[in-house]
Amino acid sequence: MTAATHSPLFPQVPDSADAVLEGLDPEQREVATALRGPVCVLAGAGTGKTRAITHRIAYGVRAGILQPSSVLAVTFTNRAAGEMRGRLRQLGAQGVQARTFHSAALRQLQYFWPKAIGGLLPRLVDRKIQLVADAAAACRVRLDRGELRDVTAEIEWSKVTQTVPADYAPAAVKAGRDIPRDPAEIAQLYSAYEDVKRQRGVIDFEDVLLLTVAVLQDRADIAEQVRAQYQHFVVDEYQDVSPLQQRLLELWLGERDDLCVVGDASQTIYSFTGATPDHLLDFRTRHPGATVVKLVRDYRSTPQVVHLANGLLSQASGRAADHRLELVSQRDPGPEPGYTEYPDEPAEAEGAARRIRDLLDAGVPAAEIAVLFRTNAQSETYEQALADLGIPYQLRGAERFFDRPEVRKAGVALRGAARFGGNDTLLEDAVDLPSQVRAVLSGEGWTPQPPAGSGAVRERWESLAALVGLAQDFAAAQPGASLADLVAELDERANAQHAPTVQGVTLASLHSAKGLEWDVVFLVGVAEGMMPITYARTDEQIEEERRLLYVGVTRARERLHVSWALSRSPGGRPSRRPSRFLDGLRPGSGAAVGRAAGGGAGGVERGFTGAAAGAPLVRRRTQRTPARCRVCGRTLTDAGEMKLMRCEDCPSDMDEGLYERLRDWRAVQARRAGQPAFCVFTDKTLMAIAETVPEEEGELARIPGVGVRKFHRYGADVLAICAGHDVGGDDEEG
């Protein structure tokens, strides 16, 4: 065995099932050892959910409780599924299927189609936009590229919510969909699209799920064959499940309940695609016998970043907020988040670029820095600011600004107007450069007011609006500049940003940043109108915007910079204000008005089952690996011994003096609160503290019996006592 085998790239496979559990915190261990019946894992950002569920599968396989071929783990992206498969291999659990919903369904559909329907499965189309265009042509409806994308998105939403064309209009109104065209017209296009597919004998990605559901519903023999293959299911990112995916999952399960779901309602940011956290939040209702484990120990971010994330959610409302998790950082303290106000957007971009330059000069790798914004149209300003300072960058989840179809087309129109503008009637009333640009781009879809909706039409408008704004800034900086001068400036910018792609600072929208993390994060444009976005009007839409900002905050490991601009362009009226989401959290904005944690503290809630309605509830048995004594290795069954993690009669290395000081302090706290002493901490917990003698917050938080609530209330005192400090032992109240 070479040395490389033990490197981080080639980690050593655990030599036993128990070894798989090593290094897990108490809640992660609960996840890993709860292998029977329904299990719901509520996992906050950075709490190691993937680690918990992969170790759960690996422990079950290595212990002989789960057969690898009987386990199906599903998630939402090929990247996440690949990461899961890689981790399972490293843990010695080969043979487990880890796939996306679509991949798993397509595999089953291809296998069973000849038996269920006969013949070959119809061809799967990668992109449906051309089919939508053909359907529009059949209906004699003209759609530009942006409208095609929006109609396509509405068709996809309809199918994942199991809405047929005839029901689209009322369903869209009920769901509060922001759509730029008449709902009845979209319903007509949806119906025509389905006709075009049938005529050509093709299916789309949503059909893969719909057809699999249909086969499993109609053919009991096939459903039983699938259920015989897979007896144990794990679903990651369960807050993003659509009604159609939930239906497929129910058909896979049948009457069984060996299901583990993992999610966080506070990270629900894709409701516009049909995702809903209701399945996660209703899990205990559907499965009264479920074990619920809450992961709140945040291993990603510093206490300062976590404090801001918790503060954001403390002001939230709605159902998801009622189940929010209060994160507890396990990292050493870091710098406080920075808040910067700029006079205008270019100044904000330049300020961020200068800070990034300083970080790079100080040795921070470019790949560990990200700039996150609300809309893709914001990227151009930051692309230019970074390019001006020679900072390499990569754009994630979107085309570079000057590569976007609407921007390229607008460039062609502006170039033509610059050459032949004297004969262009569009420019007759244009008195200056900005008005010339507005006149030209009005023919490309720009309007003084943004269009309704939040889809591709809106995104295209934002790109054109960015060009209009750029023209205004250029004219202000160079009075007397012509349209030809602006075209030359645009060409220069485009050429500068067409350099070969290199690993650099990440530019990304908040939506595309989910699932990623960096040492340093710049959250830019955090102003009213952008965060929350202008078209977010209902309470539900506003709360989703808050969750989107929460996702952005929790991408940062160590440093977080939050900024906003008072106006769009230099010299503009400073009418903007910082996002309402920062009220009470940023310095100088008053005190935060929060609410008590709903889902709050971490831990485990055991499931209950009843024989019938109204029957006495009995605690459901859950199978779990017993804890072992850290001294002799014997299995522990007594709750007190499990809290100490050693047998009562095994040698103790407890600091007797510390134990007595803790008892004296506890007595004072109990008298002040008017409670019995054990309500502060039990004797066993005090003994565990005196044996461990924690020096930092993370060590104290990991001791059984020190929950999140008690940690926040008493943690500072306990750590001070452990450090030998006097925290005041009298019974006086100040």
Side-chain angles (χ1 to χ4, degrees), residues 36-38 70-72 216 222-233 248-260 283 286-287 620:
R36 296 299 186 196
S70 72
V71 180
L72 178 59
L216 295 177
I222 292 177
E224 287 308 312
Q225 193 172 341
V226 171
R227 292 166 193 161
Q229 170 71 51
Y230 297 115
Q231 287 102 42
H232 195 93
F233 297 85
L248 177 58
L249 179 62
E250 290 167 355
L251 288 166
W252 281 340
L253 275 167
E255 299 300 317
R256 301 163 304 169
D257 65 356
D258 276 336
L259 169 66
C260 174
F283 191 84
R286 295 196 313 274
H287 302 280
R620 180 185 174 277

Side-chain angles (χ1 to χ4, degrees), residues 1 182 187 274 644 660:
M1 188 175 292
D182 181 66
L644 289 173
E660 291 304 321

Side-chain angles (χ1 to χ4, degrees), residues 261-285:
V261 300
V262 190
D264 179 10
S266 296
Q267 296 188 68
T268 305
I269 59 173
Y270 297 112
S271 65
F272 59 89
T273 67
T276 170
D278 289 346
H279 305 301
L280 176 68
L281 300 179
D282 292 338
F283 191 84
R284 194 68 175 272
T285 302

Side-chain angles (χ1 to χ4, degrees), residues 418-437:
R419 287 183 181 176
F420 310 110
N423 301 319
D424 194 334
T425 56
L426 271 176
L427 302 182
E428 286 180 356
D429 298 326
V431 297
D432 55 15
L433 177 59
S435 61
Q436 288 177 329
V437 172

Side-chain angles (χ1 to χ4, degrees), residues 172-229:
V173 171
K174 182 179 179 181
R177 303 287 293 176
D178 280 323
I179 49 178
R181 300 186 75 91
D182 181 66
E185 187 176 57
I186 293 181
Q188 179 190 15
L189 293 169
Y190 176 16
S191 180
Y193 167 78
E194 293 297 314
D195 290 339
V196 169
K197 282 199 295 101
R198 278 191 293 270
Q199 292 164 8
R200 299 184 185 178
V202 297
I203 60 174
D204 60 27
F205 274 100
E206 289 71 41
D207 290 330
V208 170
L209 300 184
L210 285 163
L211 290 170
T212 306
V213 165
V215 168
L216 295 177
Q217 284 181 160
D218 295 344
R219 292 290 298 268
D221 58 329
I222 292 177
E224 287 308 312
Q225 193 172 341
V226 171
R227 292 166 193 161
Q229 170 71 51

Side-chain angles (χ1 to χ4, degrees), residues 102-103 106 109-110 121-128 131 193 197 201-209 211:
H102 282 88
S103 172
L106 180 59
L109 197 59
Q110 289 170 330
L121 180 70
R123 181 174 63 86
L124 176 64
V125 293
D126 292 333
R127 299 177 71 248
K128 57 174 70 71
L131 295 176
Y193 167 78
K197 282 199 295 101
V202 297
I203 60 174
D204 60 27
F205 274 100
E206 289 71 41
D207 290 330
V208 170
L209 300 184
L211 290 170

Side-chain angles (χ1 to χ4, degrees), residues 382-465:
Y382 292 89
E383 292 176 53
Q384 185 62 41
L386 293 175
D388 288 346
L389 292 184
I391 298 172
Y393 67 87
Q394 54 181 334
L395 196 60
R396 180 179 181 84
E399 295 170 290
R400 291 171 182 262
F401 182 79
F402 288 102
D403 288 344
R404 294 171 194 165
E406 64 270 22
V407 175
R408 293 169 71 93
K409 191 176 178 186
V412 171
L414 290 170
R415 189 173 292 106
R419 287 183 181 176
F420 310 110
N423 301 319
D424 194 334
T425 56
L426 271 176
L427 302 182
E428 286 180 356
D429 298 326
V431 297
D432 55 15
L433 177 59
S435 61
Q436 288 177 329
V437 172
R438 288 194 292 269
V440 173
L441 296 188
S442 64
E444 301 301 320
W446 178 82
T447 56
Q449 297 299 320
S454 58
V457 170
R458 174 76 182 221
E459 290 178 5
R460 186 188 62 179
W461 180 88
E462 288 171 343
S463 293
L464 297 177

